[in-house]
Amino acid sequence: MNSYGSKFPYLPERISRLGELACNLWWSWHPEAKSLFYLLAGNGTEFKSQNPVLLLSEMEKSVLDNAAKDSRFLRRYDAVMARFDAEVNAYDSWFYSKVQDPGLYPIAYFSAEFGLHHSLPFYAGGLGFLAGDFLKECSDLGVPTVGVGFMYPEGYLHQKVSADGWQMNESETLDRSHAPICRVHDKDGQPLTIKVPISERSIYFEVWKAQIGRVPLYLIDTDIDANDPWNRGISSRLYIGDSEQRLVQEIILGIGGTQILNALGIRHSVLHLNEGHSSFAILERIREKVEKGLGYRDASDQVRATTVFTTHTPVPAGHDVFPFALMDKYFESYIPLLEMSRDEFYRLGMDPRNPDAGFNMTAFALRMSAYCNAVSKRHGEVTRSMWHHLWPNVPEREVPIGYITNGVHVPTWIDSRLATLFNRYLGPNWLNDHDNPSIWQLVDDIPDAELWRVHRLLKMILIAMMQERARERWREHADPNIIMASGIMFDPNTLTLGFARRFATYKRANLILQDMERLKGILNNPKRPVQIVFAGKAHPADNAGKQLLQRVFNAARDPDIGGRVAFIEDYDEEIAQYLVHGVDVWLNNPQPPFEASGTSGMKAGINGVPHLSALDGWWIEGYNGSNGWAFDGKNEWSAASDIVDAEELYSILEKQIVPLYYDKDEAGVSSAWVKVMKESIKSAAPMFSSRRMVKEYALKFYQDALSYANGMSP
Ligand SMILES: *Cc1c(COP(=O)(O)O)cnc(C)c1O
């Protein structure tokens, strides 16, 4: 039972479904639905937050009454609602026609983070956006899915940078009543409350729901009166706290999350774990079956045959390991419910290379899932080598971990003005059929000057956003250094590189700063200048990451750089949209082989922003010689290899990118450059879309797992 009604004090009858639309993130990837809210806001300025729930709940009664009588508004409203019903409430879908009747039990998709929209701060980075894009695509394709995750009212962190470039974390609490989420109630109309009896004092949580097209996402909220302060904080922020708090977080996600589905009567047929944080969902599913009378063996065979596990990183810190003593504290009374001994249970999570370290969530998920995958071809190789020792008797290439390369949700990440251009040249069906490469050949028919005109507009919009932010900071009396570093001197005629990702050390944000003299020569070339915009947050406990950020910031405020390096504070989904649409080149120079996939380069690529990247992650598959630029990246991590890699980077910039960009005709268009843009769109849009990705999951994993589940006893 959910009521959007209570969120909105007043909605006229004729347009009352605006409430339903505002509470379904479907609007966020449908420009015509978005424009309905812009229209209501008048000029759009009041819709700056892009949160339609906030907009509608604060809207004057008279404005809404006028809209309900305005025939132009009503025509658009009716068209949007008709499309909404055709997509969200329809039974027919790709999944129905190609896989099976979606009326059967859904797939439960568990993830510690979901990046859906900047009004919902439930993400830290790429893993979250992958999960968010995944759910949106499941909605589009009609894959019957329910998501389970956390509602982090304090999000990841809000970032401000001090005048000397040190990251400061500011916290801000989500206003639940004005966010596009609804509280879930039980059948008596009370807030659904779940009790997880896992420690001396039970932990309680309430449940919220975000609706993503057809897909519901249930969100755990432990910040309620029934809990003591320590337990209230379990779901307050992402990846915060000590090992114990993290263990409890993961227990609540896996075990508590499964209990939500139970409480709502949602029997899931397949369990998909997006990274190992939620692996305890496997245990709870086994426990439920054992409770119903199945033996442990049968129960675990059934669960294993219907579990999909996606691993996302070769970085060791990305794999949680919990000391056995700590595990004892929480699992002592739980293990007997599984009809297992302590040793048997702990062996499932043991890493043979490091048997005393504790319970390894990834090792556990790998052993207990019939379908395991990495997120790019290269990451598949790296992962098989990393975990070969779990299968010592098979050759490395036969280690049962495959790969499905990540993709991005095209309707979310394509700029709407570019989409309008595609509407004209790619035929009416391009968006419906966007994983079909042949549609994209028509990009060649777009006149160079038209594509360039749209791109230039997007770049000016990006620069205007940066300057507006600088103005706001100036009003707050920020230090002049901060204003200087925020891109106020950026010029839309200058070749612009963008680099935005978490400041994790292996991503090497400072690679391009290796040789400052050479860089200054590139940036300050009087005829062919270059500017670079950076954004990204360091993990609050990662001092090395904060130091990287400080180096970038110091470069940005260095007078010799002449304002040609900028740092945008508080990178989030909204800033990402501006950047991946508006820069000229997307820079990515991770230390191979640590980039499992990377997705921001795909977002840029589909918008005609070519990728300049080390050959790692998705780029090994994506680079074809004409759609961007690549350099090898040395496979060992040392100061010497950074020098070699930086040298390659400078040389590609000086010899290839800069001359190509400035090779302009009288009209100011470089047709050789636009050719690279077109190749970038043609190659990234079909192959690195979440549409291609989710279809692969459905056909390689879900189909098999579902047919097993259909024959399974309940
Ligand atoms: C896409 C995205 C990411 C992930 O980008 P990577 O290239 O995988 O590092 C992180 N943060 C935001 C806001 C994004 O939109």
Side-chain angles (χ1 to χ4, degrees), residues 362-486:
T362 306
F364 173 63
L366 287 170
R367 288 195 179 98
M368 297 300 287
S369 308
Y371 307 93
C372 297
N373 73 293
V375 293
S376 71
K377 186 162 186 276
R378 174 86 176 103
H379 181 226
E381 293 157 11
V382 173
T383 307
R384 283 190 294 278
S385 133
M386 207 172 144
W387 294 102
H388 186 190
H389 60 283
L390 290 190
W391 292 269
N393 302 321
V394 305
E396 188 172 303
R397 61 175 192 287
E398 285 169 28
V399 166
I401 305 172
Y403 76 92
I404 293 179
T405 304
N406 282 344
V408 297
H409 188 242
V410 170
T412 294
W413 293 105
I414 200 101
D415 180 81
S416 61
R417 286 144 287 216
L418 204 54
T420 306
L421 189 65
F422 293 165
N423 288 342
R424 277 224 305 286
Y425 290 94
L426 308 192
N429 250 336
W430 69 271
L431 193 56
N432 273 334
D433 213 8
H434 69 257
D435 57 333
N436 175 354
S438 64
I439 291 210
W440 294 96
Q441 296 311 313
L442 296 170
V443 164
D444 287 336
D445 293 352
I446 304 175
D448 289 352
E450 279 197 55
L451 185 56
W452 185 248
R453 186 181 49 77
V454 173
H455 175 69
R456 216 184 115 84
L457 173 68
L458 301 182
K459 191 168 170 185
M460 286 164 66
I461 291 172
L462 162 68
I463 293 175
M465 177 278 284
M466 291 164 66
Q467 291 171 343
E468 184 52 37
R469 285 188 167 235
R471 191 168 289 123
E472 272 165 33
R473 288 290 260 143
W474 188 236
R475 275 197 209 106
E476 294 166 11
H477 303 274
D479 186 277
N481 273 321
I482 293 174
I483 309 303
M484 291 317 294
S486 57

Side-chain angles (χ1 to χ4, degrees), residues 187-200:
K187 45 185 186 311
D188 303 325
Q190 294 303 313
L192 176 66
T193 308
I194 304 231
K195 171 180 162 186
V196 186
I198 198 78
S199 59
E200 288 148 36

Side-chain angles (χ1 to χ4, degrees), residues 318-392:
H319 302 267
D320 289 310
V321 181
F322 297 112
F324 293 121
L326 187 59
M327 291 286 289
D328 282 340
K329 181 168 168 194
Y330 291 93
F331 282 94
E332 199 168 13
S333 55
Y334 190 88
I335 300 169
L337 305 176
L338 299 166
E339 296 181 357
M340 263 202 263
S341 70
R342 177 182 181 274
D343 279 0
E344 276 174 296
F345 173 48
Y346 286 170
R347 258 202 304 278
L348 294 173
M350 199 188 72
D351 181 348
R353 269 181 325 194
N354 211 345
D356 301 326
F359 192 89
N360 184 307
M361 297 294 275
T362 306
F364 173 63
L366 287 170
R367 288 195 179 98
M368 297 300 287
S369 308
Y371 307 93
C372 297
N373 73 293
V375 293
S376 71
K377 186 162 186 276
R378 174 86 176 103
H379 181 226
E381 293 157 11
V382 173
T383 307
R384 283 190 294 278
S385 133
M386 207 172 144
W387 294 102
H388 186 190
H389 60 283
L390 290 190
W391 292 269

